[in-house]
Each structure stands twice: as C-alpha cells, then as structure tokens.
Amino acid sequence: MTNKQIIDVLYEISELLELKNENKFKIRAYQKLAQFLSGYDKELDGIYKEKGKKGLMEIPNVGEGIAKKIAELIDTGKLKYLEDLKSGMPEGIENFLKIPGMGPKTAVTIAEKFKIKTVAELEKLLKEHKLKDMKGFGEKTEEKLLKGIDLYKKGQSRKLLGEAYPVAMGIVEDLKKNKHVEKISVAGSLRRMEETIGDIDILVVAKDAKSVMDDFCSMKIVKDIIAKGETKSSINTIFDMQADLRVVAKESYGAAMQYFTGNKTHNVLTRELAVKKGYKLNEYGLYKGGKLLAGEKEEDIYAELGLQYIPPELRTGGDEIEEAKKNNIPVLVEPGDIMGDLHVHTENSDGIDSIEKIADEAKKHGYKYMAITDHSVSLSVARGLDKSRLLKQIEAIDRINKRQKDFFILKGSEVDILDDGSLDYPDDVLKELDIVIGSVHRKFKMTKEEMTQRILKAMDNKYLNIIGHISGRMINEREAYEVDYEKVFDRAARTNTAIEINAQPVRLDLRDIYVREAVRMGARLAINTDAHRTEQFQYMFYGIGTARRGWAKKEDVINTLPLKDIIKWIKMKRT
DNA sequence: GCCGTTTTCGGCCCGACTGTTTTCAGTCG
C-alpha cells in the first residue's frame, strides 16, 4: 500500500465526516495527517511491517485511533470504518463537494431532499429552478453553483508550476502599472514553489485599495469575478486558473506575506505557537494584547515567535517549525549559486538550437560552463546520435571551445540506460566524453526491484556521472515508475554519482520529498533544465525551487561548483 | 482524533466575502 493511497483514504474520511457534520477537530485531525504525509518521505507500509502499530504512532499526528485504521488498511486493503461511513451516505455525494461553492451543508441538504446522486442530476435541478424555494437559496446561489459545475466538468486539475508562474507574473506586471501599488508579490503555493498550483495568490501594499481591486477585476485575462471586496478579490482567468488578490497596509505586509505563503498546516502551527506565547497572529500582525509586536517584515514575525527564519519553500507544515526552533534551517541553494547547466539538447538530436546559440544563451545567464548532452543511439525517436555523429559533435565542441574564453562546453551525452542496466554506448566511446547522464527512456513497467537493480548497475559504470529524471514521471500525465530510493541514494553517495533534479515543469524529478532524503544520505544533486530550446533555460528557477523544497544547500549541488572542481569530481569516479 | 515547559483531559487558528439573514450561516483560504 503506497502513502498516496493512504492519504486518499484519510481525505475521503475527512470529507465524509464533514458531510456528517462531525466534530470539526476530528475532521481536522484527518486532514492534518493527510497533509503532513504528502510531504513525508518514508513509506508507511514499510514502517508498519517493520515496527508495527507502535512505529506508526511515532509519526506526528498519528495516534492510537488512526494507527489502528492504517494497520487495517495495510493488512486487508480495506477499512471497515470507511465503508460504514459511506454506507450511511447518499451514494455519489462526495462528488458534490468537488464543485466549487458547494460545501458539506448544501450538499447534504440537496442530496437528501431531492434524492439525487450525480452532478448531472444536480445540474438539471438547478436549470429547472427546482431549488429556488429552499430556505436560504436564491437566484445568485443557483447561478454560482451552475458556474461551479462548469468548472467541475472541466476537471480543475492543478496547473504545473511552469504554467502558473508566467500567468502570475503577467498579473503582477499589469498591476504594477497602477501608481498606488507600493509593493507586490506572489504568495501561496507559487511562492512555496509547489510542483502544481491550484490558484494564484497575489499580495499588494497600496493606500488606495479600491483602485487596485478595480484594475485587478478588469484585467484582460479576467473571465469572471468570483468575489470583489475591500481587501480581497477573486477572479477566474481565461487560463482556467483562479487568482486571488489581497491588499494590505504597509505595516501589515510581512504578516500578510507570512499568512498567505504558508500552507494551511504551517499557518495553523505558527498561530498555535503564537497562542502558546500569549500572542495572537493574523494577516495584519503579531499582537500581544492590543500591541503590535511585528507586522511589516516577515522575518520579524518568525523572530518574535522564537523561530529562525523559514524560507517559503519549507513552509509545508512538516517539521520545519521544530527545526527552526533548534536553529536547524540550512542556507538553501539559490539561483545565483548555479554555475552551469549540465543537461541540454541541440538540433543534432531532438532540440532545435545550434551549439553556438545555446552557448551564447548560457553565457547570458551568467553561466561559466554547460554540458551538451544529446540522446544516444537507441533513442531513435529523438534522433539519438550514433558513434560517428557523436564523434563529429565532439570535434565541433572542441573547435568552439578553442574560440572562447571564460566559458567551457563539456562534451556530454544523455545515454539510455538499457533494460539490463548497461549503457547505450560502449566504454571506449563514453571515455571520449567529459560528462555522462544516464536516463531510463523505455521499459518503465518493471518491478520496483528490477528497476532499482537496473539503475544501480548503471551507476556502477565509472563513466556515468548523473542519473537523469529518475522516476520518469510526467506530472498529470504519467505515473512515476517505482524505485527503491534509499538504495539508489546510498549507491549514488558511494559511487560519486549525482542524482538529477530535472527542471522541466512537467517532470521536476527528483521530486522534493526525495531530494531531502537524498541530501540526508549524502548523495549529490545536479539541477538541470534538460532544455530542448534556449527559452527553456529559464526552467532552472523551477528546479532550484524543488531543490530548496528538499532542503538542499549549495554544497549538495554539483553544478554550483567552479569548472575545475566539477571536472575534478568527474575524474574522481573514473580513476 | 491528536496532543502535552498549561500532560491523560480539555483544548484545538483566524478572518474575508456572499447571499439573503434582520443578526448570520456557509464557503473558502
């Protein structure tokens, strides 16, 4: 049983309890744990099989009640408690909760009164105005729910970080034109650099809030206005993403940033900490009695709570607050630390730009080096290079390198890791290269054990320096194949092989929770864009965000090294 | 249902906006 399956069950229970109008703290207990587990890098299945129920109870937010349920789930694949909850419910009612604007109260009332099970039936009722006579139910509510059903039908899957960020930046640029805007920033999951984004949160400091609200609600990309108030507005955009704007006074900017950046659990934890100290924390400031202790700067809020500053990417409601108490938050890797990109494709395989153009672009990004890593011979769909084409490319790169100072192109390849773990070029070809990435591109459906052995064997090749996009996942498109990460990281640390954080928005692979595990185990990372055109160099930003979410420091990442040190590092494995 | 420099019971974060409410419930983040 995977963590994800358990997390889904926990959420399902919390939804059903909500529908039953159960104690809200009980509901929160399930949600809290579900959220905690989504950032947890250990497999519950393994913990239970090794240490039993007791082991489960060592996990934060797991007590006796839930430990018992998880144990039953792992043992039998089923949970009686959940089935009982479901059996007392109108069938299909959980779907109603997925409609924006529809909460548990409305869902239960409607389902019970009209005996309907599907969203289609609900839509029909709404269109026939059958619900209008219900208490507290007017025309506007009817309209709101119909809009909600439209959104539901589109399947509001979360957008990729790389899709949402440019939209958010567009909004920021638009709003900056308003002369009342003193400060503006993205917040929420975007600022936390989550791999997928539900909606765009933007925070503004302005004296004339109304004028900013007006501008926000009349932007070209506005599809419809969900809410418009004095300090808060929400819109739907033509990109099928919701955007929320908050306007606060200057003295509350830090408090508001703190409040709108943390995920729900992080915020609850910080506010609980405030209460324990006899303070109150809200989006306007940290207060003791009526007195404002901190508000303008985010840093001050954490300091007054007795915490080290917690970077946005770490505010996930995991153990970051405990670590901040102990001053254990590391200095995380930053964009300025990156010295070069080690995974780039050219027109010679499935990229579109020439080596020269790519090199020029890399220099513009302030890089000191880069690696050209086209595909290897087996990957014919990507026009992988055979030996003679690869040797020709090597010569070409040598010629270009002779012409330039202060920038160096490493001759590389993204070599296929074949089914048996051998590499797609023989060693006498590999040794002509400066750097080698090994990637799995085919035969994803192996068992976990087989896939792990395949990758371990590849790492034992002394010419292999980096494992590329290790899980093969494509967010919202393709599931990751299973790998035993602990074994891979251990081997990586011992063989001087780096694990890639592939910065393509659809990949972000190695993902955040495993980055942290890799760092703990002493494996090095390489943050690469896997660019197939020069515009994709900007993806580096997303890769760094993922690294930061995994608590990675500059020294954990090989492409923060100066050229001579990275060459030294590669040679270490070859000798 | 979890949790404890307020330990085994009694707490458990805080506020904005909307619709239809004549004082507030429901939803959302």
Side-chain angles (χ1 to χ4, degrees), chain A residues 323-439:
Chain A
E323 296 300 328
K325 277 183 194 166
K326 293 182 272 184
N327 243 28
N328 280 343
I329 306 285
V331 177
L332 304 177
V333 61
E334 291 174 16
D337 295 333
I338 301 296
M339 293 283 142
D341 194 333
L342 297 175
H343 186 167
V344 180
H345 295 273
T346 76
E347 60 191 353
N348 293 331
S349 66
D350 59 349
I352 66 155
D353 294 313
S354 65
I355 299 172
E356 288 89 342
K357 185 177 173 194
I358 294 166
D360 284 344
E361 189 69 21
K363 285 181 225 171
K364 278 185 208 155
H365 280 252
Y367 293 157
K368 298 295 181 198
Y369 54 82
M370 63 176 291
I372 293 292
T373 54
D374 276 315
H375 288 288
S376 60
V377 58
S378 285
L379 203 65
S380 47
V381 288
R383 300 179 52 238
L385 278 57
D386 60 20
K387 183 178 170 183
S388 78
R389 286 175 67 213
L390 180 65
L391 293 177
K392 253 169 96 181
Q393 186 175 67
I394 289 173
E395 284 169 21
I397 293 173
D398 280 339
R399 279 197 302 276
I400 297 170
N401 272 334
K402 268 186 200 151
R403 291 203 301 264
Q404 58 189 4
K405 270 192 200 164
D406 301 324
F407 187 81
F408 188 76
I409 305 172
L410 293 151
K411 293 161 288 188
S413 174
E414 181 183 14
V415 181
D416 263 52
I417 298 175
L418 304 177
D419 300 358
D420 65 353
S422 60
L423 300 182
D424 197 23
Y425 292 125
D427 284 1
D428 69 314
V429 174
L430 294 175
K431 77 174 183 353
E432 300 300 321
L433 295 166
D434 298 319
I435 189 164
V436 174
I437 300 172
S439 299

Side-chain angles (χ1 to χ4, degrees), chain A residues 10-37:
Chain A
L10 292 170
Y11 276 126
E12 199 178 356
I13 292 173
S14 82
E15 279 171 8
L16 289 163
L17 291 175
E18 217 169 8
L19 290 169
K20 287 211 149 166
N21 205 13
E22 260 276 7
N23 180 314
K24 62 179 174 175
F25 299 109
K26 193 196 248 188
I27 298 168
R28 209 182 96 189
Y30 284 97
Q31 287 171 342
K32 203 172 163 187
L33 175 62
Q35 194 158 39
F36 176 82
L37 289 179

Side-chain angles (χ1 to χ4, degrees), chain A residues 133-188:
Chain A
D133 305 330
M134 280 170 60
K135 190 164 168 266
F137 216 94
E139 239 171 79
K140 293 267 188 164
T141 310
E142 210 173 68
E143 247 173 63
K144 187 180 76 178
L145 286 180
L146 279 171
K147 263 184 195 163
I149 288 175
D150 259 359
L151 286 174
Y152 166 83
K153 280 198 205 152
K154 278 195 186 120
Q156 343 83 9
S157 70
R158 296 168 63 89
K159 294 279 188 287
L160 300 179
L161 175 64
E163 293 170 335
Y165 221 98
V167 176
M169 284 303 136
I171 295 175
V172 167
E173 287 311 311
D174 245 17
L175 292 181
K176 270 187 184 168
K177 289 178 199 151
N178 183 311
K179 63 181 194 300
H180 297 103
V181 171
E182 290 173 45
K183 283 185 180 173
I184 183 163
S185 171
V186 298

Side-chain angles (χ1 to χ4, degrees), chain A residues 124-139:
Chain A
K124 190 158 169 270
L125 283 179
L126 283 165
K127 283 189 172 154
E128 292 165 356
H129 307 293
K130 292 264 174 64
L131 302 178
K132 242 168 67 178
D133 305 330
M134 280 170 60
K135 190 164 168 266
F137 216 94
E139 239 171 79

